[in-house]
Amino acid sequence: LKAAEELITRFHEKGQFIQAWGPLDAPDNYRLIIDCLLNLPLLYWASQETGDPRYKEIAERHIHTALSNVIRPDFSTWHTFFFNRETGEPDHGATCQGYRDGSAWARGQAWGVYGSAIGYTYTHDEKFLEVFRKALEFYLSRLPEDLVPCWDMIFAPESGEPRDSSSAAIVA
């Protein structure tokens, strides 16, 4: 419960998201990261345990914001997404872990697959089920024969780039 309480202190009303990194008042860090989708079951659990709806409400606001912004039109994912600090309006996606902005960091794509499944599990919102299916399709369509992608899905195994078995484990 202490962890859930701490997590909700990082929620921004303007933008409707939980900030993962850095000081909350840093003007160049007003963003969410796709990884935080995996923190949301903690908040749903905290609401169930305490009867306090705040945790669940913040989880649902975050998941709607995250999946509305980190999922690209081709169902690949941004690692991180920035918002306008003054208005909360979506600004732009970027990567800190992938090869470059616009490529698909394998683990981030896995977080998108798993995170959209979490969204559907807790909300039963059909759009999260569609995001799950399409993000999974994107991931699976880029797997090599041995089913272990390179660390960024822009690379093929013959590139010599490191492989990311953790993303395969997450998706499985």
Side-chain angles (χ1 to χ4, degrees):
L1 289 174
K2 286 180 182 181
E5 193 61 38
E6 182 64 26
L7 186 58
I8 66 171
T9 68
R10 301 193 61 80
F11 182 74
H12 289 291
E13 284 293 331
K14 286 185 182 175
Q16 302 287 298
F17 68 92
I18 298 167
Q19 180 181 325
W21 296 335
L24 294 174
D25 57 352
D28 61 341
N29 197 31
Y30 204 70
R31 63 173 154 183
L32 62 82
I33 62 172
I34 197 166
D35 318 43
C36 281
L37 293 170
L38 283 289
N39 295 339
L40 301 181
L42 171 67
L43 299 182
Y44 285 104
W45 172 85
S47 276
Q48 185 177 22
E49 283 295 305
T50 65
D52 185 341
R54 290 178 309 144
Y55 305 104
K56 177 183 175 184
E57 290 165 2
I58 287 173
E60 290 187 355
R61 288 155 67 189
H62 177 83
I63 202 161
H64 279 89
T65 299
L67 291 178
S68 295
N69 291 286
V70 297
I71 306 295
R72 297 182 189 122
D74 67 355
F75 290 91
S76 65
T77 59
W78 291 107
H79 171 222
T80 172
F81 202 91
F82 289 83
F83 297 82
N84 180 295
R85 186 174 173 72
E86 301 303 316
T87 66
E89 291 296 312
D91 192 86
H92 69 282
T95 189
C96 292
Q97 302 289 344
Y99 178 68
R100 63 171 166 77
D101 288 348
S103 68
W105 174 45
R107 199 160 331 129
Q109 189 70 27
W111 296 141
V113 170
Y114 192 5
S116 57
I118 288 169
Y120 179 74
T121 298
Y122 287 99
T123 68
H124 303 289
D125 186 330
E126 291 288 325
K127 83 176 166 190
F128 295 147
L129 187 57
E130 180 177 343
V131 169
F132 166 77
R133 288 180 176 140
K134 299 284 187 167
L136 177 61
E137 182 181 312
F138 181 93
Y139 184 91
L140 295 175
S141 72
R142 284 151 180 82
L143 287 180
E145 191 172 302
D146 67 4
L147 305 179
V148 180
C150 290
W151 69 280
D152 194 292
M153 300 191 95
I154 197 169
F155 298 113
E158 53 274 6
S159 68
E161 290 291 324
R163 307 293 281 285
D164 188 353
S165 59
S166 65
S167 75
I170 294 162
V171 168

